Amino acid sequence: MSTKKITVTINGETHSAEVEPRLLLVHFIRENLSLTGTHIGCDTSNCGACTVLLDGRSVKSCTLLAVQANGKNIVTIEGMAKGTELHPLQEGFKEEHGLQCGFCTPGMIMRAADLLAHNPNPTEDEIRWGISGNLCRCTGYNNIVKAIQYAAEKIRDTGSDSIPFTTHTAETTA
Amino acid sequence: MIPQAFDYESPATVGEAIALLQRFGSDAKILSGGHSLIPMMKLRLATPERIIDISGIKGLDYIREVDGFLKIGALAKEAALEESDIIARKYPLLLDAAKMIADPSVRNRATVGGNLAHGDAANDHPAVMLAYRAEIVATGPKGQRNIPIDEFFLGFFMTALEPDEILTEIRIPIPPAGSGGAYKKMERKVGDYATAATAVQLTVDGSGICQQIGIGLTNVSAAPMRAQRSEDALRGRKLSDELIKQAAIMAGQDCDPNPDLRGSIEYKRSVVKTLTERAIKAAIERAMNA
């Protein structure tokens, strides 16, 4: 079985690698790139702990092959803060106590980033349906909803981007 | 969980993909969104030697009305259905279903074409397309052919696609005036397969007579099924609560569910009856307000 060369842009940096086609995107992110903020929870596309942004849309990276991300732009939780300045979603989760153990949090934040990019002013119901593919076993979700509302308000007030690095695109390889 | 090793191809055109299928035959498997196939590969329920990833083929993700049909390209994502103006205005059955398939992140990857080509009666689009009386366009070495939806699902995970054919388009006849549709699905939790679901598409005239009706059922048979007797009971008749109830009872009787964690056979028949009644009533209401 032959390997494939892939080139992806992750959090604004371009990476090339020779990978086995069966390598999952989440393993590529965690093991090849040592970006361990993206978690593996259920490993069956149920829980959403592995959620990252692929060309600006939330995806479950346990159910994508790394080769499917070739030429694409990925943002992980490590790409959300600007230096020491938290992203409004990170700040919201902190201020509203949107986490306890924190395992689901990176996936929740990446999913919420897609939600707010496409619906900057969601109702509570839209937020709850919007995160319906992300499981939290600690909070009971109420504070997660509040955290996303906090971020939505801050993003609207400050005019900041819900998703960083959206202008970058990866060089495609033949 | 890691899939068995395989070779990977990413053709740029439908022609290249078909050439690869001709070369590698049944050792190869088509991948589009991958949200049915990759889980099966991770569980090693599927162990293809070669993956042909068609997701890079340009221009196959359209959703547009042309020549009397709503034409959906095979690579149109479920999320695109949810975000489409034309579907929001004229295809409420399709919108209902799209919103209830898996979860938002899965819908960002999953494709309508893949949902159908997988041939799984537990998926949602088979029942929807049965209700719409859609056609499947298959492209192979000899060109395109249209397959009526009633001839597409042949059995458990079996479709009419030949080993060297790719599902390239879905065609839904544009509904005439006085049409409405609805999808009623019961699921234990977001992301689970339906315990059962009913898709209804109908056309009612000014005097309340049902001109045409399609009813598809999800996850209550080996192959996706049409509730034929229920449709026949309503077509050409003035719709009344009593008649709708009778048609719903028939759907519950005619389906063939398996008992599993989601419920017993008796329970699922009862769910089908209730959902069918609700779906027909919702479809009528939408037809009246269309």
Side-chain angles (χ1 to χ4, degrees), chain A residues 65-129:
Chain A
L65 305 169
V67 287
Q68 290 178 285
N70 186 28
K72 297 197 184 324
N73 182 28
I74 293 169
V75 182
T76 68
I77 189 66
E78 289 90 345
M80 294 301 272
K82 286 182 195 151
T84 56
E85 186 196 334
L86 293 180
H87 184 279
L89 277 161
Q90 293 171 308
E91 190 181 307
F93 274 71
K94 174 170 168 275
E95 293 301 321
E96 300 291 343
H97 306 280
L99 64 148
Q100 287 176 32
C101 86
F103 195 84
C104 73
T105 313
M108 283 285 180
I109 287 178
M110 303 319 289
R111 172 60 208 140
D114 177 350
L115 174 69
L116 295 182
H118 294 90
N119 182 1
N121 192 15
T123 64
E124 181 183 333
D125 203 45
E126 285 168 341
I127 292 173
R128 287 184 183 274
W129 279 107

Side-chain angles (χ1 to χ4, degrees), chain B residues 144-166:
Chain B
Q144 288 190 352
R145 65 183 179 118
N146 293 359
I147 308 169
I149 197 71
D150 284 291
E151 294 165 23
F152 186 70
F153 301 109
L154 301 182
F156 186 65
F157 284 93
M158 270 179 59
T159 70
L161 290 172
E162 297 293 337
D164 56 3
E165 282 182 323
I166 297 175

Side-chain angles (χ1 to χ4, degrees), chain A residues 1-4 20-24 26-27 42-46 51 54 56-60 62-65 67-70 72 111 114 118 129-135, chain B residues 1-10 31-35 38-39 41-44 49 51 53 55 79 83 99-100 102-109 187 189-192:
Chain A
M1 302 288 166
S2 54
T3 58
K4 283 274 169 193
E20 264 194 276
R22 64 172 169 171
L23 180 70
L24 298 171
V26 71
H27 291 140
C42 70
D43 205 8
T44 57
S45 77
N46 268 284
T51 305
L54 185 75
R57 300 309 300 254
S58 64
V59 298
K60 294 182 168 180
C62 77
T63 305
L64 251 75
L65 305 169
V67 287
Q68 290 178 285
N70 186 28
K72 297 197 184 324
R111 172 60 208 140
D114 177 350
H118 294 90
W129 279 107
I131 59 167
S132 60
N134 293 71
L135 302 182
Chain B
M1 296 183 293
I2 294 164
Q4 179 180 289
F6 55 85
D7 281 318
Y8 175 84
E9 311 279 352
S10 50
L31 178 80
S32 58
H35 274 58
I38 292 175
M41 289 168 64
K42 288 174 69 178
L43 293 164
R44 310 248 173 156
E49 297 279 312
I51 286 293
D53 178 0
S55 64
E83 291 162 8
K99 283 178 170 174
M100 291 203 74
D103 66 61
S105 293
V106 171
R107 295 198 290 270
N108 279 340
R109 292 294 302 171
E187 55 183 10
K189 61 184 180 67
V190 165
D192 190 21

Side-chain angles (χ1 to χ4, degrees), chain B residues 75-126:
Chain B
L75 296 180
K77 301 237 176 13
E78 304 293 356
L81 296 183
E82 283 179 273
E83 291 162 8
S84 155
D85 289 338
I86 183 86
I87 286 171
R89 279 190 282 117
K90 290 176 66 177
Y91 299 87
L93 163 58
L94 197 48
L95 183 63
D96 279 357
K99 283 178 170 174
M100 291 203 74
I101 289 170
D103 66 61
S105 293
V106 171
R107 295 198 290 270
N108 279 340
R109 292 294 302 171
T111 61
V112 186
N115 192 290
L116 290 161
H118 197 50
D120 186 354
N123 279 354
D124 297 284
H125 282 305

Side-chain angles (χ1 to χ4, degrees), chain B residues 221-237:
Chain B
S221 50
M225 75 168 275
R226 176 184 296 289
Q228 186 73 54
R229 210 157 56 100
S230 309
E231 291 180 3
D232 293 345
L234 298 174
R235 194 180 298 108
R237 306 280 297 274

